[in-house]
Amino acid sequence: SPASFSACDVFWSVGQHSLVGAAMAEKIYKSSEVALAFLLHDCAEAFTGDIISPLKKMIPGIGEAEHAIARTIVVACGAWDKLKDYDVAGCVEIVDRRMLSTEKRDLLSPCEWPGADLALPFAHIEIGLEWNLLDFALNIGPERVFRRMKDEFDRLMKVIQ
């Protein structure tokens, strides 16, 4: 499903966000565990859709319910045993904030977007990319994202002991 990017000129999905963020996480933290955690961090949205943070704050229990769904998915796919001993939440949060800023820079027309300026966007060269997210969105569209996510999940599960 599309992330909260209704102002985008191109389709940008949670899957695309997760793939790029996982690659950035692995490169920056040199950690397959952080990459796997990032790849899965929005997995509940496959069932709930994107529940924006202000709504989570307004409706008691909705954030906890989303977290419970995510944990159920992570356990069901076998990743819980790989991640349970690692404290990666802080790293995932930092990458997520930087992704938000990067997505604003690369995908949105100039606009006010609360929270998107709280972190520095990723520099393309910082992680060895010669393209921006718009290029990724155009070249790895929704029809190819699922396969890429599954391949990346399988790779990370094999790498993590």
Side-chain angles (χ1 to χ4, degrees), residues 85-151:
D85 296 329
Y86 296 93
D87 183 14
V88 296
C91 297
V92 168
E93 178 67 22
I94 289 168
V95 173
D96 207 25
R97 287 183 185 273
R98 291 192 68 192
M99 280 297 299
L100 180 65
S101 294
T102 305
E103 290 158 344
K104 178 183 178 188
R105 179 196 65 207
D106 289 356
L107 299 172
L108 297 178
S109 302
C111 66
E112 291 296 318
W113 192 15
D117 296 323
L118 296 178
L120 285 173
F122 287 106
H124 300 127
I125 197 159
E126 174 181 11
I127 56 164
L129 299 179
E130 295 181 10
W131 41 263
N132 62 30
L133 297 182
L134 179 58
D135 295 330
F136 185 85
L138 294 172
N139 291 307
I140 309 295
E143 65 285 349
R144 294 176 52 202
V145 169
F146 176 77
R147 169 57 48 201
R148 292 280 301 266
M149 285 190 73
K150 180 169 182 346
D151 291 347

